[in-house]
């Protein structure tokens, strides 16, 4: 029987050690793993001990030896288990490879004796469904053809259940028999595109499926280039719910295939269409102002500047000034266009490129403007919620949503300052709010969330608002201006009455240090028959963030652009 040496000071826990006095191990645990159940294990501390007796070789303590033996047995069992699992995996792989080879031999062909299929979208119902238990309807009915991507799939014995998605709806498909045993079926991956033929039936009592029907397939096609990647490259591995938001934005093209992102985009489509419909109902005409401009609207600090054939130009911050020029000839007008703000801000409600819903109304008062904004918001919501499919998406995203009651709460800026002081909500400098403060986003949002209803915040001081805003005749310190605030997101609309007096407008240019010459086309509106008018701009992404209860406006547009991101 061998004697194994362990020196805690100069020993080494390496396979190259011999366990001899000249080549000792460092620990008993390692020594026992390398040389289990030997005659004896001698240990010592050769360098650090002052006591000469401690430098002598002594038998290992029984408790330490028992612990080392237990550790060895655990690792032995674990190694055996790993060998067993490896053998199982090998057998499984062999069986799977054999099954795949057999699956490749299965060739399916369309039964040409069946009626020619009718192509439908996945959300169509019509007369295609065969009802169960109605006698005559059990006979052969309409055969359909659908094309969609695999949203999810599950196997049950020799049956394959697939949920398809095509952007219009979802459909459950049942595939059985030889159709479920082909190579394409047994290797099916999520997002693979399939063309499927068959008949639709109502689902059995107690079962659930989209629109309560399912397609019983009699044939399908999956061309090779329609197959989605699997394994490590599977979409479920690349896009995961818990991933960093920046990673999800890098993979936005794939994230958009998810239920939440696609639902928001479908709601966005419905909302934009509803704005167009609501404006048409109000006899407000749509125009398309330019995006390349040489004048500013909201301030030079947020302008994207570029070279325009040797001259300075900017991406538009707002189409307002151009909309105003349409009033004399077209009446009330609106646009839904992109606006660009070069704000170096990374808050959850800021974008560098966003969709701006803007309108200008002629011959109105400030009260008319507030009533119009209130009507437009509620009318758009009524139209959107009237569509049961879109309403379903919204209820899924925002279960507590309901169309806000009218009238919205009206609160003057001065009253808001008092409210903030009473509730001890401080300004950005850490001081109580005072008249003249530009209420910061955090304070504004906190106030709105506490009040928990839409607020028309009105009559802001002249100094903190744009040069073109009309002063309140009853209080020249403030403007006839409004911000519409919504719980959870803050401001979604900003508007005002516009200066309609030429001299007052020129004084405003001077006060702001702006040269009026480049604005001749705007100032001429006051020289050639002015009128009382006002307008507003609504941020579509903020509106959607409120409606769909999204944490950030970045998730409410197709490919968000903000400071530091201009891809993909």
């Amino acid at each position: 029987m061998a004697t194994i040496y362990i020196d805690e000071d100069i020993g080494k826990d390496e396979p190259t050690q011999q366990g001899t006095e000249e080549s000792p191990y460092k620990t008993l645990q390692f020594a026992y793993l390398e040389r289990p159940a030997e005659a004896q294990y001698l240990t010592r501390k050769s360098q650090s001990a002052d006591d000469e007796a401690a430098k002598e070789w002594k038998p290992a303590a029984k408790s330490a030896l028992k612990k080392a033996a237990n550790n060895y047995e655990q690792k032995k069992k674990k190694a055996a288990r790993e060998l067993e699992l490896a053998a199982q995996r090998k057998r499984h792989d062999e069986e799977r490879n054999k099954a795949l080879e057999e699956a490749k031999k299965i060739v399916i062909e369309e039964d040409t004796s069946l009626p020619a299929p009718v192509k439908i979208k996945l959300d169509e119902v019509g007369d295609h469904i065969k009802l169960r238990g109605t006698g005559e309807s059990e006979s052969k009915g309409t055969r359909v053809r659908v094309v969609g991507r695999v949203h999810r799939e599950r196997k049950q014995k020799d049956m394959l259940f697939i949920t398809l998605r095509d952007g219009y709806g979802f459909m459950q498909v049942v595939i059985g028999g030889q159709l479920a045993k082909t190579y394409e079926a047994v290797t099916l991956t999520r997002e693979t595109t399939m063309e499927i033929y068959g008949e639709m039936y109502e689902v059995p009592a107690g079962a659930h499926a989209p629109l309560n029907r399912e397609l019983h397939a009699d044939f399908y096609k999956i061309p090779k280039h329609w197959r989605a990647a699997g394994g490590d490259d599977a979409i479920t591995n690349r896009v995961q719910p818990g991933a960093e938001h920046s990673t999800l934005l890098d993979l936005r093209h794939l994230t958009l295939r998810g239920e939440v992102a696609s639902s928001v985009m479908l709601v966005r489509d419905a909302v934009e269409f509803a704005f167009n419909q609501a404006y048409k109902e109000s006899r407000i005409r749509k125009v398309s102002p330019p995006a390349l401009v040489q004048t500013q609207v909201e301030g030079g600090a947020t302008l994207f500047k570029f070279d325009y054939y040797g001259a300075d130009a900017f991406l538009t911050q707002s189409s307002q000034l151009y909309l105003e020029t349409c009033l004399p000839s077209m009446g009330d007008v609106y646009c839904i266009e992109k606006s660009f703000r070069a704000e170096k801000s990374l808050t959850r409600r800021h974008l560098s490129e966003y969709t701006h819903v803007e309108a200008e109304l002629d011959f109105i008062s400030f009260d008319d403007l507030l009533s119009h904004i209130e009507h437009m918001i509620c009318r758009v919501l009524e139209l959107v919620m009237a569509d049961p499919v879109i309403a379903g998406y919204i209820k899924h995203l925002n279960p507590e949503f309901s169309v806000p009651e009218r009238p919205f709460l009206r609160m003057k800026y001065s009253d808001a300052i008092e409210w903030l002081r009473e509730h001890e909500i401080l300004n950005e400098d850490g001081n109580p709010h005072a008249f003249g403060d530009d209420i910061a986003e955090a304070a504004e949002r906190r106030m709105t969330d506490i009040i928990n209803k839409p607020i028309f915040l009105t009559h802001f001081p002249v100094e903190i608002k744009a040069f073109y805003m009309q002063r309140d005749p009853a209080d020249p310190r403030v403007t006839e201006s409004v911000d519409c605030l919504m719980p959870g997101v803050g401001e979604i609309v900003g508007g005002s009455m516009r200066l309609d007096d030429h001299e007052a407008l020129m004084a405003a240019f001077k006060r702001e240090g702006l040269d009026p010459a480049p604005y001749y086309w705007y100032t001429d509106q006051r020289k050639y028959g002015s009128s009382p008018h006002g307008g507003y701009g609504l941020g579509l992404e903020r509106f959607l963030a409120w409606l769909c209860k999204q944490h950030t406006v970045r998730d409410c547009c197709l490919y968000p652009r903000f400071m530091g991101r201009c891809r993909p």
Side-chain angles (χ1 to χ4, degrees):
M1 285 290 193
T3 299
I4 307 302
Y5 293 87
I6 298 102
D7 191 313
E8 296 180 10
D9 291 321
I10 65 171
K12 296 180 181 179
D13 283 345
E14 297 176 357
T16 54
Q17 296 295 99
Q18 303 297 314
T20 61
E21 189 171 357
E22 294 78 18
S23 180
Y25 295 114
K26 185 176 181 65
T27 65
L28 178 60
Q29 294 273 3
F30 189 84
Y32 202 96
L33 290 174
E34 291 293 303
R35 306 285 294 275
E38 299 286 356
Q40 63 176 344
Y41 298 85
L42 302 180
T43 67
R44 75 173 182 181
K45 293 182 180 179
S46 61
Q47 301 295 324
S48 59
D50 295 329
D51 185 359
E52 288 296 321
K55 297 180 181 180
E56 298 177 0
W57 296 105
K58 296 181 179 180
K62 290 183 178 180
S63 59
L65 196 59
K66 183 178 180 181
K67 185 176 180 181
N70 288 338
N71 180 60
Y72 169 76
E73 290 299 325
Q74 289 175 5
K75 289 187 178 295
K76 184 179 178 181
K77 290 178 181 179
K78 184 178 179 181
R81 178 60 179 162
E82 288 176 350
L83 286 173
E84 182 182 348
L85 290 174
Q88 289 178 358
R89 285 194 295 269
K90 183 179 179 181
R91 289 194 301 271
H92 177 270
D93 289 344
E94 289 174 349
E95 291 172 1
R96 178 170 173 77
N97 289 335
K98 183 179 179 180
L100 289 177
E101 290 303 315
E102 291 298 317
K104 289 178 180 179
K105 298 175 183 178
I106 299 175
V107 178
I108 59 174
E109 295 182 351
E110 183 181 3
D111 186 347
T112 56
S113 68
L114 295 174
V118 176
K119 185 178 180 180
I120 65 170
K121 296 288 188 183
L122 298 185
D123 63 337
E124 293 182 42
V125 179
D127 299 325
H128 308 300
I129 294 181
K130 294 176 68 177
L131 304 177
R132 294 179 182 273
T134 57
E136 185 178 336
S137 63
E138 290 290 353
S139 62
K140 187 173 292 187
T142 304
R143 186 165 176 254
V144 300
R145 175 168 66 97
V146 299
V147 180
R149 289 179 174 83
V150 176
H151 185 62
R152 60 174 65 93
E153 54 91 14
R154 64 183 174 88
K155 293 181 174 66
Q156 183 175 323
K157 294 185 178 179
D158 293 331
M159 303 291 287
L160 182 60
F161 292 87
I162 297 171
T163 300
L164 288 186
R165 183 193 77 241
D166 68 352
Y168 293 90
F170 297 85
M171 180 181 289
Q172 180 167 290
V173 181
V174 181
I175 298 177
Q178 290 293 91
L179 295 178
K181 298 177 181 179
T182 66
Y183 180 80
E184 290 78 12
V186 297
T187 60
L188 192 63
T189 52
R190 184 171 174 177
E191 293 301 315
T192 289
T193 300
M194 301 182 71
E195 181 178 346
I196 305 179
Y197 301 66
E199 294 181 5
M200 282 198 294
Y201 290 84
E202 280 188 316
V203 295
H208 300 282
L211 299 179
N212 292 317
R213 85 289 198 241
E214 59 189 13
L215 178 65
H216 289 223
D218 59 53
F219 180 67
Y220 60 80
K221 297 177 183 177
I222 308 178
K224 185 177 180 179
H225 57 282
W226 286 12
R227 299 178 196 170
D232 293 340
D233 282 336
I235 192 169
T236 49
N237 289 329
R238 294 196 67 193
V239 180
Q240 299 180 359
E244 289 287 334
H245 196 250
S246 60
T247 300
L248 295 177
L249 288 178
D250 287 339
L251 299 174
R252 183 67 173 164
H253 58 293
L254 298 179
T255 307
L256 286 168
R257 299 189 182 204
E259 289 191 38
V260 172
S262 61
S263 294
V264 173
M265 291 300 102
L266 291 169
V267 173
R268 180 186 175 113
D269 167 65
V271 167
E272 193 163 336
F273 183 82
F275 268 109
N276 283 305
Q277 186 174 342
Y279 279 122
K280 289 304 177 186
E281 290 177 354
S282 298
R283 300 184 66 201
I284 301 176
R285 296 186 171 100
K286 187 175 185 178
V287 296
S288 296
L292 309 181
V293 301
Q294 291 187 305
T295 52
Q296 67 184 52
V297 180
E298 300 295 341
T302 65
L303 285 166
F304 280 108
K305 185 178 180 180
F306 65 95
D307 179 82
Y308 188 72
Y309 302 104
D312 288 341
F314 313 98
L315 296 177
T316 185
Q317 302 164 309
S318 166
S319 297
Q320 175 206 319
L321 305 189
Y322 292 95
L323 291 179
E324 288 188 53
T325 67
C326 299
L327 295 178
S329 59
M330 298 185 68
D332 300 339
V333 291
Y334 80 101
C335 71
I336 301 179
E337 302 284 350
K338 294 289 188 180
S339 285
F340 304 86
R341 302 281 175 92
E343 289 178 278
K344 293 183 178 180
S345 176
L346 290 173
T347 75
R348 61 190 178 97
R349 69 174 196 168
H350 282 95
L351 291 167
S352 297
E353 175 191 70
Y354 66 98
T355 300
H356 215 170
V357 181
E358 299 182 87
E360 290 295 317
L361 312 175
D362 208 2
F363 302 109
I364 63 167
S365 67
F366 186 52
D367 285 339
D368 293 334
L369 178 64
L370 298 183
S371 296
H372 166 82
I373 296 172
E374 186 177 75
H375 167 76
M376 287 301 300
I377 290 174
C378 292
R379 181 56 183 152
V380 164
L381 293 173
E382 289 169 358
L383 291 169
V384 169
M385 297 303 288
D387 183 331
V389 174
I390 300 301
Y393 291 136
I394 293 170
K395 286 298 183 181
H396 180 71
L397 295 165
N398 188 0
E400 299 176 357
F401 177 78
S402 61
V403 176
E405 295 181 1
R406 289 183 266 184
F408 294 175
L409 175 66
R410 266 78 164 164
M411 177 185 283
K412 289 188 175 182
Y413 164 88
S414 56
D415 295 330
I417 292 296
E418 289 304 313
W419 191 97
L420 292 168
R421 292 175 65 90
E422 289 172 4
H423 289 76
E424 299 181 349
I425 298 174
L426 304 180
N427 63 19
E428 288 186 306
D429 296 325
N431 299 317
H433 279 85
F435 189 91
D437 286 350
D438 192 353
I439 301 174
E441 174 191 338
E444 178 184 88
R445 193 167 63 244
R446 188 175 174 192
M447 178 181 72
T448 309
D449 290 349
I450 292 173
I451 295 173
N452 197 31
K453 62 174 63 175
I455 302 172
F456 276 146
L457 192 57
T458 67
H459 297 88
F460 291 86
V462 173
E463 292 75 18
I464 63 173
K465 282 298 181 180
F467 72 92
Y468 52 74
M469 293 187 178
Q470 184 74 269
R471 296 191 184 216
D472 181 4
D475 185 357
R477 298 178 308 157
V478 299
T479 55
E480 289 187 320
S481 55
V482 59
D483 286 353
C484 181
L485 313 179
M486 290 295 181
V489 69
E491 180 194 347
I492 64 168
V493 178
S496 75
M497 296 299 290
R498 316 310 193 189
L499 283 170
D500 55 36
D501 179 81
H502 186 267
E503 291 184 5
L505 181 60
M506 288 302 177
F509 273 111
K510 184 176 181 180
R511 184 181 70 247
E512 295 296 323
L514 292 173
D515 179 8
Y519 294 84
Y520 70 93
W521 51 273
Y522 179 69
T523 59
D524 272 357
Q525 303 303 309
R526 280 73 180 168
K527 291 176 65 176
Y528 296 92
S530 189
S531 61
H533 64 282
Y536 59 92
L538 176 146
L540 186 64
E541 287 80 12
R542 290 189 185 181
F543 185 90
L544 286 164
W546 165 65
L547 177 61
C548 298
K549 203 173 185 178
Q550 296 300 292
H551 177 70
T552 170
V553 294
R554 299 172 187 177
D555 293 333
C556 297
C557 53
L558 203 63
Y559 289 94
R561 299 292 184 252
F562 53 91
M563 186 175 70
R565 177 167 293 277
C566 196
R567 63 184 176 93

